[in-house]
Amino acid sequence: MLDTFHPYERPAIEYVNVETNIDTVGRLQVVIRDRQTQQSKRVDNLNSILSLEKRWTDRLHREIGLLRDQIVDEGRKENITSKTREELESILIDILDTNRISCNERKSKHPNYVIRSSYMQYAMLNYYEFDMLVDQFLGV
């Protein structure tokens, strides 16, 4: 039990990074990495006991759908016809970053905020994913 995280006694959130990336066949997945330089036994045990990466990857796709709906709603509020694509990209980055920060601040209060934050970080750094979100923002 010394090499295991526990929700009440030894929570993992302080010691791990939750990341979204693409697997070898091009699907988005959630990966839990130790903040130390190497993967620790505690993180390995966390995955083997709770199967968090698999369960969170399944939830990730629902969260992406909800986030895209939110982006479409935000796009409707903007006067997109009078703005350049670069201006809209900047607005979308602000929306994603503001939401990501909000999720990070409240991640212990909502179980999917860790996943959402991870995806928003990924989308801001991945050109292809960000371009798809911009298209959604534009209502394309």
Side-chain angles (χ1 to χ4, degrees):
M1 292 301 287
L2 293 176
D3 290 324
T4 305
F5 289 109
H6 186 277
Y8 300 108
E9 298 297 324
R10 248 183 269 145
I13 201 69
E14 300 292 325
Y15 303 98
V16 299
N17 290 326
V18 178
E19 301 171 4
T20 298
N21 61 30
I22 295 181
D23 66 12
T24 56
V25 292
R27 293 178 301 212
L28 288 174
Q29 67 178 2
V30 172
V31 177
I32 301 171
R33 299 192 194 284
D34 200 311
R35 287 189 181 168
Q36 299 173 359
T37 56
Q38 298 178 19
Q39 194 75 345
S40 71
K41 200 170 193 173
R42 290 170 95 182
V43 173
D44 291 339
N45 288 340
L46 182 70
N47 276 321
S48 66
I49 293 168
L50 300 175
S51 302
L52 282 184
E53 287 181 347
K54 181 189 178 322
R55 292 186 322 163
W56 283 0
T57 295
D58 293 341
R59 285 187 193 171
L60 172 67
H61 299 286
R62 281 192 311 249
E63 289 300 312
I64 290 171
L66 294 171
L67 181 63
R68 287 183 177 166
D69 290 345
Q70 180 184 350
I71 287 170
V72 168
D73 290 343
E74 292 287 334
R76 287 185 188 128
K77 293 177 190 174
E78 292 290 329
N79 185 8
I80 60 175
T81 56
S82 66
K83 293 183 171 62
T84 65
R85 185 171 178 96
E86 290 80 22
E87 290 172 320
L88 293 170
E89 288 175 356
S90 179
I91 291 168
L92 183 56
I93 286 174
D94 288 342
I95 291 168
L96 290 172
D97 200 38
T98 300
N99 279 309
R100 184 186 59 79
I101 290 168
S102 175
C103 284
N104 281 338
E105 290 171 352
R106 299 181 294 155
K107 62 187 167 191
S108 64
K109 295 182 171 109
H110 192 286
N112 294 331
Y113 279 6
V114 172
I115 302 165
R116 255 185 187 235
S117 173
S118 166
Y119 172 73
M120 287 184 273
Q121 180 71 33
Y122 170 79
M124 288 189 293
L125 297 174
N126 181 283
Y127 176 77
Y128 176 74
E129 193 73 22
F130 183 74
D131 199 45
M132 285 185 359
L133 291 177
V134 170
D135 286 344
Q136 296 227 311
F137 190 58
L138 292 168
V140 177

